[in-house]
Amino acid sequence: MVDDRFLSSENPASSLPLFTGELVDPEEPLGFNNRRISPTDSLGLPENNPYEVSFRDLEHWQKRYAHMVNEMDGFSVGISLSRYPSGEFTAACTALGPKPQKQKKPRGPISSTDLSSMAKKVMKRAIQNHWRPFNRMFTFTFDPKLSKNIKNDDGTVNHEYAHKEISRTLEAVSLRYQRLCDKVTQNTAGKSGKNWQLSYIRVSEIQPETGNIHFHVLADRHVDIRYLVKIWGQSSNSVHADNINGMRSLKYLFNYIKKGGFLIYGKRYSLSRHLYSEFKPVKIQITGKHARSIFLNFIQSRGNTILQGRGYLGDWGFSLPPPARKGIPSSCHSQFILELAEALDDGGYPDLLQALLG
């Protein structure tokens, strides 16, 4: 028989089904080890400190805390806006707060059978944001007859060795032109000598006929072939040069590497170090559920009128290509971004408008 003291109203435990004899709602969530959990409000916790909970109620407390954080305006969600020097503009809703730290696993040798979508996007942005067009493409091949080349058992050139050789060659050529750039800058009283600087994008590829690795290098200036052959250290016909035209250079390059599907060990592409800083966007972060609501309503009502299939429109954001792209006039491109900035400004978020006008 249960003591009446345990059923008194002064004892918070008396409100629990375990002591009152009430049936447990089958829809009530299960806790640790499949135990039923009563609502936190029925535990008799102090009003001034709702976080003093028992261990068995931890799971329910976590749910309440997550719900509270989600309801906090200006903390749980926001908008991320990025404007690139080329005029490319991207915007999307974001969830704020710290990201869970994942334990890093040991990484094995890098290998791939094709360029990733991110790699293509990086190369595309590098070309779009560079101040000078990439008008040369150099192809570096290996002479299978040279005994100094490190080869695999099947007679093909070792990929690790090949990547070291192309890195050594490009670094040597870049260093030469960087010295010329610094020298011109020094002799012209601080006037930039960047016309002498060399910028490049390198991509690895496998020749289907031979199975050998070779490299395509997009460059923004011409380099003497005899000098390249000397630094490369292969046969006299191991370096070939093609003239290309501006943005078509990327399409020209992608046409070459469509023959993918071959496994390549090592990083499949690389860029001149200074190119990364050239396409670094100006980022604007706006927090608040109200700002997110304005943003979503804007792209829902006006997104299709400007993109017209030329950009990307998703459920949570959009991406506008540079205004120079065929099909999107510069005036329409600017007007669309300005209208978004004005809509946010009317809602009390002037950040984007200030960035555009400043």
Side-chain angles (χ1 to χ4, degrees), residues 138-142 157-174 200-205 213-218 228 231-234 238-239 265-270:
F138 300 98
T139 302
F140 293 81
T141 57
F142 288 91
V157 177
N158 182 271
H159 291 186
E160 182 179 1
Y161 163 77
H163 281 105
K164 287 182 179 179
E165 284 297 294
I166 191 65
S167 296
R168 175 190 60 79
T169 300
L170 294 177
E171 287 177 5
V173 177
S174 298
Y200 66 84
I201 300 174
R202 186 271 300 167
V203 177
S204 309
E205 190 194 358
I213 190 172
H214 65 284
F215 305 98
H216 297 295
V217 179
L218 293 179
L228 289 177
I231 300 297
W232 181 232
Q234 298 291 317
S238 59
V239 181
Y265 294 97
K267 193 170 182 181
R268 204 175 186 97
Y269 77 101
S270 66

Side-chain angles (χ1 to χ4, degrees), residues 217-229:
V217 179
L218 293 179
D220 64 345
R221 62 171 301 114
H222 181 69
V223 182
D224 186 72
I225 293 293
R226 290 170 296 181
Y227 171 70
L228 289 177
V229 170

Side-chain angles (χ1 to χ4, degrees), residues 284-296:
I284 303 170
Q285 298 285 345
I286 303 177
T287 60
K289 291 190 299 181
H290 183 49
R292 182 187 64 168
S293 178
I294 296 172
F295 173 73
L296 291 176

Side-chain angles (χ1 to χ4, degrees), residues 9-16 38-47 49 52:
S9 59
E10 298 178 355
N11 191 341
S14 62
S15 61
L16 300 180
S38 61
T40 305
D41 294 338
S42 65
L43 293 179
L45 298 174
E47 290 290 335
N49 192 354
E52 292 181 0

Side-chain angles (χ1 to χ4, degrees), residues 164-274:
K164 287 182 179 179
E165 284 297 294
I166 191 65
S167 296
R168 175 190 60 79
T169 300
L170 294 177
E171 287 177 5
V173 177
S174 298
L175 181 60
R176 180 191 183 189
Y177 282 94
Q178 185 60 48
R179 287 172 177 169
L180 287 172
C181 174
D182 296 340
K183 187 175 181 179
V184 171
T185 302
Q186 184 180 3
N187 294 338
T188 55
K191 186 177 179 180
S192 177
K194 67 177 184 179
N195 285 330
W196 289 97
Q197 195 175 45
L198 174 69
S199 301
Y200 66 84
I201 300 174
R202 186 271 300 167
V203 177
S204 309
E205 190 194 358
I206 298 293
Q207 289 177 317
E209 299 81 8
T210 63
N212 256 332
I213 190 172
H214 65 284
F215 305 98
H216 297 295
V217 179
L218 293 179
D220 64 345
R221 62 171 301 114
H222 181 69
V223 182
D224 186 72
I225 293 293
R226 290 170 296 181
Y227 171 70
L228 289 177
V229 170
K230 180 180 178 181
I231 300 297
W232 181 232
Q234 298 291 317
S235 59
S236 58
N237 61 347
S238 59
V239 181
H240 178 73
D242 289 309
N243 294 329
I244 51 181
N245 183 17
M247 277 302 297
R248 293 182 180 178
S249 59
L250 192 63
K251 184 178 179 180
Y252 194 69
L253 179 62
F254 285 168
N255 285 336
Y256 265 90
I257 60 179
K258 277 182 179 178
K259 301 174 287 185
F262 296 94
L263 184 65
I264 292 180
Y265 294 97
K267 193 170 182 181
R268 204 175 186 97
Y269 77 101
S270 66
L271 279 68
S272 298
R273 295 185 182 93
H274 60 267

Side-chain angles (χ1 to χ4, degrees), residues 98-167:
K99 295 182 179 180
Q101 296 293 329
K102 294 183 180 180
Q103 186 177 3
K104 293 185 179 180
K105 297 181 180 180
R107 188 175 182 179
I110 299 176
S111 62
S112 61
T113 56
D114 199 359
L115 279 171
S116 64
S117 58
M118 179 56 69
K120 293 179 180 179
K121 185 179 293 185
V122 167
M123 290 189 291
K124 184 177 181 179
R125 284 176 174 163
I127 293 176
Q128 288 175 339
N129 292 276
H130 190 48
W131 63 277
R132 185 165 57 187
F134 288 80
N135 54 12
R136 295 287 189 278
M137 187 175 80
F138 300 98
T139 302
F140 293 81
T141 57
F142 288 91
D143 186 352
K145 298 179 181 179
L146 291 182
S147 58
K148 72 172 186 176
N149 293 332
I150 299 178
K151 301 179 181 179
N152 301 317
D153 295 337
D154 58 359
T156 59
V157 177
N158 182 271
H159 291 186
E160 182 179 1
Y161 163 77
H163 281 105
K164 287 182 179 179
E165 284 297 294
I166 191 65
S167 296

